[in-house]
Amino acid sequence: MSNFSFSQALLNWFDDYGRHDLPWQVSDNPYKVWVSEIMLQQTQVKTVLKYFDRFIERFPTVVALGEASWEEVAPYWAGLGYYARARNLHKAATQVVKNNKILPQTFEEWIALPGIGRSTAGALMSLGLRKYGVIMDGNVKRVLARFFAIEDDLTKSIHEKEMWRLATSLCPTERNHDYTQAIMDLGATVCTPKKPLCLYCPMQKHCKAHQQGLENELPFKKTKKPVPIKYAKVLLLRSHNLWLWYQRPSTGLWGGLWSLPIYDVPIQQEYRALSLPSVESTFEIKHSFTHFTWQLEVQVVSITPEQKEIFAKNIGGEWITPEQADERGIPTAMKKVITTANKYKDLGV
């Protein structure tokens, strides 16, 4: 391996097979790179592509984002999940606007902003500003763990530090931004988590995991604990084609998005006090988060025109159609409610 250059082999492959047409691959707009990096955290490119252009069209500059309210931003992130990312992005943008409206130019300035860690700051230096930067996302960890047959538990800080040292030693100063994109692309398209395409990998002959038949075993994976199941009820209060929706608080789960009223079993008394008419029908949906699965029982209740104002006032909501709610921004779980409800002809929706 002494005559083999990891970075050069990767760059040669990238020139022919890398991704060069992603909408955030621009040399003069670090803001776009910033938005993309936050969206891409724990989210695949194909999913981000559905949201990125719409978000940028509405908030084309950091000033536009920083001067908007969270209630204006939330609908443009609705359905993408991990909403703390969006809140931190918005918070950081407001800080930039207050700080002379100039984007950070150094690693230290980037990492000082909310929601930006070491790897994201490195990506913004490299991809956003075309300066030197080192990244350590899931793709990079996987490529390096396999290439060097690293069998350590990379979730432990001592091994994480060693991976950073290794990544830094391999990262070139010349064509740094291409190298950064290349190693991510290799992990995303060839050195994939499952069934890696070793036949097409430029590193195959020198990859220790491939030589030892360990490519499907690395990186080391902890046995996942089963996620808990939580139960709650959803009130689908309807009056003809209108449903009662409310905007959730700006902080917490689904902050700023619109939702049907949700309550867990211990606080049902609060809704019994509303003197709801009888439940006409129910159906269930399941929605998974990172740390738990939500089993939701949707209770369908028809409200008379005379009762509409009373329930809107008591719940603090607004009578709008599901389509109008979707335009304002609703979480994926509420999209599932709409889709499932439309399958039930007896609901009359």
Side-chain angles (χ1 to χ4, degrees), residues 26-305:
V26 289
S27 60
D28 58 349
N29 198 326
Y31 168 70
K32 282 189 175 182
V33 176
W34 181 13
V35 172
S36 74
E37 283 297 314
I38 302 303
M39 285 187 169
L40 287 164
Q41 291 172 2
Q42 298 179 289
T43 306
Q44 294 183 335
V45 167
K46 63 181 180 181
T47 302
V48 170
L49 287 171
K50 300 173 185 176
Y51 288 84
F52 180 79
D53 286 341
R54 181 170 172 262
F55 189 94
I56 291 297
E57 184 178 349
R58 174 60 181 82
F59 309 106
T61 65
V62 68
V63 174
L65 179 60
E67 291 182 345
S69 67
W70 168 245
E71 286 69 27
E72 292 174 291
V73 175
Y76 290 85
W77 202 278
L80 194 54
Y82 301 100
Y83 296 100
R85 297 179 299 172
R87 286 193 285 268
N88 280 330
L89 174 63
H90 178 243
K91 185 178 178 181
T94 60
Q95 288 187 18
V96 170
V97 168
K98 290 177 182 178
N99 187 24
N100 299 322
K101 302 180 180 179
I102 299 173
L103 286 170
Q105 297 296 306
T106 67
F107 177 88
E108 291 74 19
E109 289 173 342
W110 278 116
I111 207 168
L113 291 175
I116 297 182
R118 183 177 178 182
S119 184
T120 302
L124 290 167
M125 290 299 295
S126 178
L127 301 173
L129 299 174
R130 304 297 171 100
K131 298 179 181 179
Y132 181 79
V134 183
I135 67 166
M136 182 60 70
D137 71 348
N139 289 313
V140 176
K141 285 184 180 179
R142 187 165 58 255
V143 169
L144 297 184
R146 287 174 176 168
F147 186 80
F148 292 98
I150 298 170
E151 299 183 43
D152 300 318
D153 181 356
L154 302 181
T155 62
K156 295 184 177 179
S157 60
I158 186 172
H159 302 310
E160 175 93 3
K161 289 177 182 177
E162 180 59 25
M163 288 296 285
W164 271 105
R165 186 201 65 76
L166 183 59
T168 303
S169 70
L170 295 169
C171 191
T173 53
E174 295 293 324
R175 296 189 65 188
N176 179 270
H177 66 281
D178 282 341
Y179 174 87
T180 298
Q181 187 65 53
I183 197 166
M184 289 193 295
D185 284 1
L186 187 73
T189 63
V190 176
C191 195
T192 50
K194 297 178 181 178
K195 298 181 180 179
L197 305 175
C198 298
L199 181 64
Y200 303 99
C201 181
M203 309 301 183
Q204 184 206 68
K205 292 182 180 179
H206 302 277
C207 177
K208 290 184 178 180
H210 181 68
Q211 292 168 2
Q212 299 171 33
L214 295 174
E215 56 266 51
N216 288 304
E217 310 301 323
L218 298 177
F220 171 85
K221 301 176 188 67
K222 271 189 172 181
T223 303
K224 289 186 177 180
K225 296 180 181 178
V227 295
I229 298 176
K230 297 183 180 181
Y231 298 88
K233 297 183 186 294
V234 179
L235 280 179
L236 197 170
L237 305 179
R238 67 186 181 102
S239 179
H240 299 294
N241 65 328
L242 300 179
W243 297 5
L244 186 56
W245 298 80
Y246 80 106
Q247 188 173 27
R248 295 179 66 91
S250 59
T251 58
L253 183 68
W254 299 337
L257 300 182
W258 286 75
S259 172
L260 299 173
I262 299 178
Y263 58 100
D264 56 24
V265 176
I267 59 169
Q268 289 188 49
Q269 301 90 320
E270 180 181 335
Y271 286 92
R272 286 189 186 133
L274 296 175
S275 301
L276 285 171
S278 299
V279 173
E280 296 174 15
S281 56
T282 64
F283 59 88
E284 291 187 350
I285 67 160
K286 186 166 68 173
H287 186 69
S288 296
F289 296 95
T290 307
H291 302 298
F292 72 94
T293 296
W294 227 359
Q295 190 76 41
L296 298 173
E297 180 189 281
V298 183
Q299 300 182 331
V300 183
V301 179
S302 286
I303 304 298
T304 65

Side-chain angles (χ1 to χ4, degrees), residues 5-25:
S5 169
F6 183 94
S7 61
Q8 193 55 55
L10 192 55
L11 286 167
N12 290 342
W13 170 85
F14 175 72
D15 289 341
D16 291 331
Y17 303 108
R19 296 177 293 189
H20 300 273
D21 57 352
L22 297 173
W24 48 84
Q25 288 178 314

